[in-house]
Structures are given as structure tokens and as C-alpha cells.
Amino acid sequence: MSSATQAPATVPGAKGHSDGAGAFVPVQTRSERFRSYDPAAFEAPTGREVNWKHTPVTRLQRLLADAAGDVGAVSLAVTGPLAAAGLPVGALPRGEVFEPEDLPAAVAWGRSAEALYVKIPAEVELDEPVIVEAVGGGADLVAHAHVVVEASRHSRATVVLRHAGSAQFAQNVEIIVREGAQLELITVQRWDDDAVHAASHQGRVERDATLRHIVVSFGGGVVRVNPSIELAGTGSRAELYGLSYSDAGQHLESQVYLHHKGAETTGDVLYKGALQGEGARSVWIGDVLIGPDAVGTDSYEANRNLVLTDGARAESIPNLEIETGDIRGAGHASATGRFDDEQLFYLQARGIREDEARRLVVLGFLAEIVQKIGVEDLEAELFAVIEEELAKEVTR
């Protein structure tokens, strides 16, 4: 490569324009993004980068500094049918799948002396979920964590990550689904309004295994949960679902990446969000890559947003890249809008008050994701939270 098109060493992941004019553009394809365990290898984001331009970077400044966290900033507790262990850096399976692709993830990797390790033994089927609770001790406190969840061969389990209280929290979640296993991982963000949470989830699904990954974000000032899942084995499957409800001043974001690598893999991505209040914002970016060896793939991704009031904004960007012609199907869709007037008219014409009609429409819209969770108590809790959010809208 000539010096005119050589990317400068100070810009990891940059590449030159094809015109050779000496100007440079950042990597746009998710699979080509720079990755490193070293925070010093990343430039501090300015908000112009492709993976940061929709994020309020100024509100994440404390998570971009490679400094030790505060004692007691976030407490972690594990309840349910399994106990957790610790994994220092260098102890497998920590790092088997995870490699940071942004600065907060690299900082969290290095600043987490021990990862929280939840392992479901081979052939074991758990009838109740494993609950990992993270409770923040204060909005001014900084915390880092790395969590490893491994579902061994032919196991079946549900793991729920719950977040509450307040903190500045950088979190990595590493997910390994071994051959024939079935894992459901649900992450629920019910932070206080002043919390900031940047989470990077990376997972690999092996032969004939299934991962159901669900992101539920209600609380927090800024919540950015980015799942990146690789369907590595033949016949593997991923179901990636998300639910968010953004209030005034809240920024709720997910950048989803699904990489079909093995043959005969199946992907289903569906994120839904509701927004209300001045400055309420949601961001969804969905990237699906069907690799050259992913023959027989069937994949679909969609994002739907319901804007309930003026002053709220949803950004939705689906991307699909296909590197083989031998697939069963692939597609993507995105839609953002207000209430369907025909739905409201239909309900009001049958004697239902307008406020009750609006409530039913919103509940019906979001219920599709809630009902995929399969944990009865959590589903009931989330429906109650949606009702609380709707009550706020009515009283505005």
C-alpha cells in the first residue's frame, strides 16, 4: 500500500479512501472494527466515529478514563440454583470469545481483576433462573465488571442480569453456548434516572445450540447495551430481542451485531421501543453479516418504535451484508411512528375511552417482547412497569 493510502498508526481500524487522495474514513463494517484488550490502543471517542455518533459521549466521560473504580460502587450478588466463581485475567474461558471493540469495554476488561463466572454444567436443565443482581451505590461512583456465562454441552438454563440503583458502570458480558445447549440470557436495566451504563455483550453459539438474548431497558440516564453474537456452529440459532421505554432526558441505545458463520444457522432479531417526553431518545443499529460459509442461513432483523409525545426521537438503522448466494432467506425492516389512528378509532368506536385505547395499543405493541421472556414473575413485573410509564404520560 502506498503512503498516500496507508492508515496512520494513531487511528486503529482506519482505512484509506479508494481514490488515494490521502483522506481517510473509519471502518464502516461491524466485522472489521478494531479490537484490543489494551485501552491505550483506542482513541478517545469524539462522537464523530461510526459507533459513537449517535451516543451522547460527553455523558460517558468517566467510563472512558482508564482509572480504577470506586470501592462499593456496584455490588454483585448471585441467587438461584447455581453459585458463581471468579475468573482472573488469563483463566479460561474468560477471553475465549470476548475481545473489546470500544474503549469502555477495554477499560472494564483490565479493571476487572476477577470476572464473575456462571457455569451451567453439561446435561443439566435448570427449572428456575440464575439471577445476577447489580446494585449501584451512587451516581458519582464508577464501577467495572466482567461477567462470563457458559452453558455447557446439552444444558438448558435461564440467566437474568438485573441492574438497579445508580452508578457509572462499564460492563462486559461474555456468553458461551456449547454444542446442543439452550441458554436464555435476559438483561434488565431498571436504574435510577442519573445512572450511566455502557455494556458490551459478546457471545458464541456452537453446533445445534440456541441462544435467546433479551435486552430490557427502562431506567437510567444513558444506557448503551451492545450485543455481538457469532453463530459459529452448524445448525446454531440466535433469537435477539429488545424492549425499551425512554422518558424525558433518557438515552437508551443498542447496537446489535449478528454474525452467521456456520452453515444452516438461524437468526431472529426484533427490538421494540416506546418513547415519551421532551428529549427522550432511543437508538437501535442492527448489523447482520452472513459469511461465505453460512450456506442455508435464514435470518431476519426488525426494529419498531412508537413515539408517544412531541419532543421524543428514535433512530433506527438496519444493515445487512451477505457474502454467499446459497441462503434460505434474509431481510430487515424498520419502522418508527405515532399511534395508528385506525386502531384508536376502532377501539373508541366500541365505547373505549381514548386514554384507555392508547393504553391498550401500547401494551399490545410491547407485549410481544415481554411474552418472549418466559419467566412469569419477570413478565408480570415488566407489564407493571409499562403501566407505570403510561401513567406518567397521562399526567403530563
Side-chain angles (χ1 to χ4, degrees):
M1 182 181 290
S2 69
S3 60
T5 57
Q6 179 67 46
T10 56
V11 186
K15 62 180 179 180
H17 282 291
S18 59
D19 59 14
F24 300 96
V25 294
V27 168
Q28 300 293 321
T29 305
R30 182 75 178 262
S31 60
E32 296 178 355
R33 283 191 188 167
F34 177 79
R35 295 188 177 205
S36 175
Y37 295 102
D38 181 9
F42 291 91
E43 294 287 317
T46 64
R48 296 188 296 271
E49 300 82 0
V50 66
N51 59 326
W52 289 104
K53 65 182 181 180
H54 301 284
T55 308
V57 172
T58 56
R59 298 172 69 179
L60 277 74
Q61 287 304 307
R62 298 192 65 194
L63 298 183
L64 302 175
D66 186 11
D70 298 304
V71 176
V74 170
S75 62
L76 295 175
V78 179
T79 58
L82 291 178
L87 280 178
V89 174
L92 292 176
R94 180 176 180 174
E96 180 179 330
V97 172
F98 195 95
E99 187 174 7
E101 65 173 14
D102 62 27
L103 181 52
V107 173
W109 172 271
R111 294 293 175 177
S112 302
E114 272 203 331
L116 183 72
Y117 180 35
V118 177
K119 180 178 181 179
I120 298 92
E123 311 290 342
V124 169
E125 296 189 5
L126 301 181
D127 293 329
E128 59 178 298
V130 179
I131 310 294
V132 180
E133 291 197 73
V135 180
D140 295 329
L141 302 179
V142 175
H144 311 96
H146 191 94
V147 179
V148 180
V149 178
E150 180 184 11
S152 301
R153 295 177 72 257
H154 301 291
S155 63
R156 180 181 61 81
T158 297
V159 177
V160 182
L161 311 179
R162 300 183 63 104
H163 305 88
S166 189
Q168 310 273 317
F169 191 36
Q171 178 192 45
N172 300 331
V173 180
E174 186 167 1
I175 306 161
I176 307 166
V177 189
R178 303 295 187 190
E179 181 179 344
Q182 297 180 47
L183 176 67
E184 180 174 26
L185 189 140
I186 308 160
T187 177
V188 181
Q189 287 64 244
R190 293 199 60 191
W191 295 104
D192 295 343
D193 290 342
D194 51 4
V196 175
H197 183 192
S200 179
H201 291 212
Q202 294 184 17
R204 185 181 65 218
V205 187
E206 298 181 357
R207 184 183 183 92
D208 295 327
T210 298
L211 171 65
R212 174 172 285 196
H213 184 280
I214 303 177
V215 178
V216 179
S217 296
F218 285 97
V222 177
V223 174
R224 173 178 149 121
V225 180
N226 293 348
S228 174
I229 306 300
E230 178 185 282
L231 292 174
T234 299
S236 56
R237 178 182 180 88
E239 300 170 351
L240 309 182
Y241 303 130
L243 169 65
S244 65
Y245 204 124
S246 182
D247 277 328
Q250 279 188 304
H251 177 101
L252 305 180
E253 176 177 344
S254 281
Q255 298 186 25
V256 183
Y257 177 44
L258 179 60
H259 183 184
H260 292 267
K261 201 170 183 179
E264 304 293 332
T265 54
T266 303
D268 183 22
V269 181
L270 177 60
Y271 274 60
K272 286 190 170 187
L275 303 93
Q276 65 184 19
E278 187 67 32
R281 189 175 180 189
S282 69
V283 173
W284 178 85
I285 302 174
D287 290 289
V288 173
L289 170 61
I290 299 175
D293 299 321
V295 297
T297 286
D298 189 4
S299 187
Y300 192 79
E301 65 168 344
N303 177 229
R304 313 286 185 195
N305 298 294
L306 187 57
V307 179
L308 304 177
T309 63
D310 293 333
R313 185 175 68 175
E315 298 187 51
S316 180
I317 306 170
N319 301 299
L320 175 61
E321 185 178 2
I322 304 174
E323 296 179 337
T324 177
D326 185 7
I327 62 173
R328 283 182 288 163
H332 58 181
S334 171
T336 298
R338 294 185 177 275
F339 278 105
D340 187 326
D341 290 336
E342 290 187 2
Q343 285 183 312
L344 288 177
F345 177 79
Y346 176 87
L347 293 170
Q348 289 180 266
R350 279 147 183 79
I352 299 174
R353 300 189 319 273
E354 181 180 357
D355 59 339
E356 179 64 11
R358 289 167 64 88
R359 170 184 166 275
L360 291 174
V361 169
V362 176
L363 283 173
F365 174 73
L366 299 177
E368 181 179 6
I369 302 298
V370 177
Q371 292 171 346
K372 291 179 182 295
I373 289 174
V375 180
E376 187 174 338
D377 291 347
L378 182 55
E379 288 184 3
E381 175 189 335
L382 295 179
F383 276 123
V385 174
I386 294 171
E387 294 274 14
E388 292 173 11
E389 295 287 352
L390 286 168
K392 293 179 187 176
E393 196 249 331
V394 170
T395 58
R396 288 180 190 277

